[in-house]
Amino acid sequence: MTAPDAGRGIWDGEETRTFTGLPRDTFRILHVSTGNVCRSPITERLTRHALADRLGDPLWGGLVVESAGTWGHEGAPMEANAEAVLADFGADASGFTGRELLDEHVIRADLVLTATRDHRAQVISMGHSAGLRTFTLKEFTRLVRAIDPATLPSLEEGMVVRARALVRAAAALRGWLLAPTAEADEVYDPYGAPLPFFRSVGDEIHQALDPVVTALTGVPARA
């Protein structure tokens, strides 16, 4: 029997989907940046933290959150300043190791959220019909804000069903709801920058994630 993997996702491996009491179906969210030591680890762990805060359930309704880098530092620890940012939000940075983005990560992902448009293009160029499920984080946030939650499946139908419907709705809006500027969809790389810049990037990511997690779970952030 496979145990939960605190370092990468919630439950990893097809066999874990059939355990008694666990979701038989999962929805995988993959966060992508360049080195997988700054932006995508922050985004991964803030997403997990927000889900746990809203749901209070370690299984998060079948949602699996992970990350990788297009030039990933395989096996590398998270940058110390990234860990400090996560500590500011009370999020867990433990057990993280960097990964290089592989075909299998894209194939398994139901939603890919990238730091920049260039990352998005790199993911889509890998194939695997990734275009309709790959967005920059800020792009996805903008699209999600335009979706009426009442049009999504209710939580009684399951969070995985709701999440898949959210991605389809966002993809349908993409050609109609454009960014005001190209830079509006970018989260810039803080690698090598001082802690204050890391914190500004962390705030940016946190603000972008809030409406996404609210739409996924149907639960707003606690005041």
Side-chain angles (χ1 to χ4, degrees):
M1 183 176 289
T2 304
D5 180 350
R8 290 264 49 104
I10 305 166
W11 294 88
D12 217 355
E14 293 296 324
E15 72 278 4
T16 60
R17 300 186 188 185
T18 61
F19 291 169
T20 302
L22 298 180
R24 293 183 62 88
D25 205 2
T26 58
F27 182 92
R28 288 182 177 269
I29 302 171
L30 176 66
H31 294 295
V32 175
S33 63
T34 303
N36 194 214
V37 292
C38 298
R39 289 168 291 181
S40 51
I42 291 172
T43 315
E44 173 194 313
R45 295 307 176 92
L46 285 182
T47 304
R48 293 188 189 185
H49 182 69
L51 288 168
D53 181 65
R54 285 164 169 77
L55 302 178
D57 180 352
L59 297 179
W60 300 331
L63 301 183
V64 177
V65 185
E66 51 196 354
S67 63
T70 55
W71 289 87
H73 298 190
E74 189 72 29
M78 191 185 309
E79 282 288 297
N81 281 346
E83 291 188 357
V85 167
L86 291 174
D88 290 343
F89 289 101
D92 183 15
S94 64
F96 182 88
T97 54
R99 300 192 305 179
E100 182 177 355
L101 181 66
L102 302 176
D103 289 89
E104 66 188 69
H105 301 145
V106 177
I107 291 168
R108 293 193 306 174
D110 297 286
L111 172 62
V112 183
L113 296 176
T114 70
T116 69
R117 292 168 296 149
D118 183 58
H119 296 132
R120 182 185 63 194
Q122 290 180 65
V123 171
I124 293 172
S125 73
M126 295 171 72
H128 315 302
S129 303
L132 291 177
R133 50 195 168 91
T134 302
F135 309 79
T136 73
L137 170 62
K138 287 186 172 181
E139 174 191 22
F140 194 67
T141 300
R142 183 177 69 255
L143 298 171
V144 163
R145 287 184 185 277
I147 296 168
D148 182 354
T151 64
L152 298 174
S154 67
L155 291 175
E156 285 75 15
E157 296 181 61
M159 202 164 297
V160 170
V161 172
R162 182 183 177 94
R164 289 177 177 158
L166 183 68
V167 173
R168 290 194 299 270
L173 282 175
R174 180 150 41 189
W176 298 92
L177 192 62
L178 302 179
T181 66
E183 291 71 26
D185 283 342
E186 306 281 290
V187 176
Y188 291 106
D189 193 355
Y191 185 77
L195 182 56
F197 187 70
F198 266 83
R199 285 185 164 138
S200 70
V201 169
D203 288 339
E204 197 175 343
I205 291 171
H206 180 262
Q207 291 174 23
L209 282 174
D210 180 71
V212 172
V213 177
T214 297
L216 285 169
T217 63
V219 180
R222 287 187 282 185

